Amino acid sequence: MGVDIDQAFVQDPQHRPGLSITQAQGIPLIDLSPVTTTNPCPSSMDALVKEIGSACKEWGFFQVINHGVSISLREKLQEASKKFFAQSLEDKKKVSRDETSPSGYYDTEHTKNVRDWKEVFDFLTKDPTLVPLTSHESDDRLVQWTNKSPHYPPGFRDIIKEYIEEMEKLGRKLMELIAMSLGLEAKRFEEFFKDQTSFIRLNHYPPCPYPHLALGVGRHKDPGPLTILAQDDVGGLEVKLKHKTDQEWVRVEPTPNAYIINVGDIMQVWSNDAYESVEHRVMVNSEKERFSTPYFLFPAHDTEVKPLEELTNENNPPKYRPYKWGKFLIHRKDSNFQKQNVENIQIHHFKIA
Ligand code: OGA
Ligand code: NI
């Protein structure tokens, strides 16, 4: 069974997906109307902040509706993405990522040193995006990453850019709500994003004849503060429940037009573990292809990530040593694109024992 699968895709036995699927029960579905309509009443705002706070604390992920993002724009992006990936490999490789910039097309990403069954197209929010040249602590040199310009489908770049603007708006609102839920000023996080390193990823998961051996994306946590994910109706995203039950991995059933929001590692550090980053993975499907579009909200490269002073005190001292986001990002980029024999960089490496 599976003798002809390329071994690079095969998960270690303990990380292979089980054959039975459990749909997640009770994932918070949050209505964002209070921040997407004009003149919301103050009490609905308070209720929303509370809802966001408990979703971040109890689950680490949730879905949002009435989020203000144009449905037709989302569909337009999905159509364009389908057309892009339907091209020949040779055509897609014309906009491959390269040594000077990791944005563009790629089909050999590794998560935890196992190859993912997927292909991606990455596009930066800021063009150019300023980042460190290397992950070495003492190297101060910077470089600029820029976006690729696919010729097909027509207008692809403009559609992506328009969609990113919507993600930025939604991201800002969510970060404000999260700040308030932690008892902080709504704009507390804004300063970190002026020179943001955020990007959008168009994912294509082709059908895979080995769903019991391979994963679309291996188990991982997102490294930024927050991810906004659009998934199509095929399904495959699974999250690891924080409160352990018989079933650790549960499926996030697609909700039409909703976004899945998940708390990432930086939020865990900023909140000093009040809001934990959740492990997730993507199962492949032996018959259907699947498309998804995560938007990774990432701060500026020179952000020193550490627990926020307002959220720590004598009784709750900082649980992490500060680290530079840009260095962490480069470390990850270097390790995600080649198989290595050691664990890649993780926030627990900065945990104060
Ligand atoms: C990711 C991710 C989930 C999905 O790309 O980090 O978790 O459903 N994607 O594609
Ligand atoms: Ni992820």
Side-chain angles (χ1 to χ4, degrees), residues 45-60:
M45 256 313 269
D46 288 350
L48 174 57
V49 169
K50 284 211 181 79
E51 238 183 309
I52 294 273
S54 68
C56 289
K57 213 176 168 62
E58 304 305 324
W59 289 83

Side-chain angles (χ1 to χ4, degrees), residues 66-301:
N66 294 322
H67 41 65
V69 180
S70 150
I71 305 299
S72 65
L73 179 59
R74 174 168 166 171
E75 285 167 357
K76 222 158 82 177
L77 180 72
Q78 170 136 355
E79 283 313 305
S81 172
K82 271 188 186 159
K83 285 184 180 155
F84 174 79
F85 287 115
Q87 296 178 100
S88 68
L89 188 58
E90 191 191 351
D91 281 337
K92 286 181 278 198
K93 284 195 164 169
K94 287 177 186 155
V95 287
S96 274
R97 77 191 291 272
D98 52 42
E99 269 95 73
T100 56
S101 179
S103 60
Y105 175 77
Y106 206 67
D107 68 352
T108 53
E109 186 168 57
H110 288 74
T111 302
K112 304 257 195 306
N113 296 320
V114 182
R115 192 166 159 194
D116 295 328
W117 195 276
K118 68 171 182 191
E119 50 181 349
V120 309
F121 182 78
D122 288 347
F123 198 91
L124 297 155
T125 298
K126 293 199 74 161
D127 192 352
T129 293
L130 205 58
V131 292
L133 177 65
T134 71
S135 60
H136 302 295
E137 237 26 80
S138 55
D139 187 350
D140 291 334
R141 291 172 298 169
L142 299 175
V143 277
Q144 291 185 339
W145 285 348
T146 54
N147 284 323
K148 299 289 181 302
S149 298
H151 292 297
Y152 183 86
F156 198 25
R157 252 182 95 102
D158 290 335
I159 298 168
I160 298 174
K161 280 189 183 160
E162 201 183 333
Y163 187 81
I164 285 179
E165 275 177 38
E166 296 285 308
M167 290 295 102
E168 285 212 82
K169 270 190 246 163
L170 178 56
R172 209 173 299 129
K173 282 174 194 149
L174 288 164
M175 291 303 283
E176 289 182 13
L177 289 166
I178 291 175
M180 288 188 272
S181 78
L182 288 165
L184 305 166
E185 287 282 312
K187 307 266 183 217
R188 178 63 174 88
F189 297 119
E190 212 175 73
E191 58 172 303
F192 302 117
F193 294 95
K194 282 193 194 87
D195 291 310
Q196 60 183 313
T197 53
S198 306
F199 73 99
I200 194 161
R201 167 164 287 177
L202 308 179
N203 276 316
H204 175 223
Y205 302 95
C208 171
Y210 315 101
H212 52 300
L213 297 175
L215 286 168
V217 186
R219 72 194 194 288
H220 69 282
K221 295 177 178 182
D222 293 348
L226 197 80
T227 305
I228 304 175
L229 173 79
Q231 65 167 340
D232 68 10
D233 58 5
V234 174
L237 173 65
E238 298 199 326
V239 296
K240 196 170 177 178
L241 290 180
K242 281 176 63 166
H243 310 291
K244 229 177 151 190
T245 57
D246 297 349
Q247 208 66 41
E248 322 197 79
W249 288 98
V250 294
R251 187 64 74 98
V252 184
E253 205 174 349
T255 302
N257 302 326
Y259 284 96
I260 296 163
I261 312 298
N262 71 282
V263 167
D265 289 341
I266 291 183
M267 190 56 75
Q268 177 168 336
V269 174
W270 278 342
S271 72
N272 209 31
D273 282 355
Y275 294 170
E276 280 169 348
S277 180
V278 176
E279 201 164 33
H280 53 282
R281 67 181 186 188
V282 176
M283 279 183 70
V284 283
N285 191 301
S286 53
E287 280 137 40
K288 293 183 192 160
E289 61 178 347
R290 173 175 182 264
F291 295 87
S292 75
T293 338
Y295 181 71
F296 299 102
L297 205 67
F298 284 177
H301 80 88

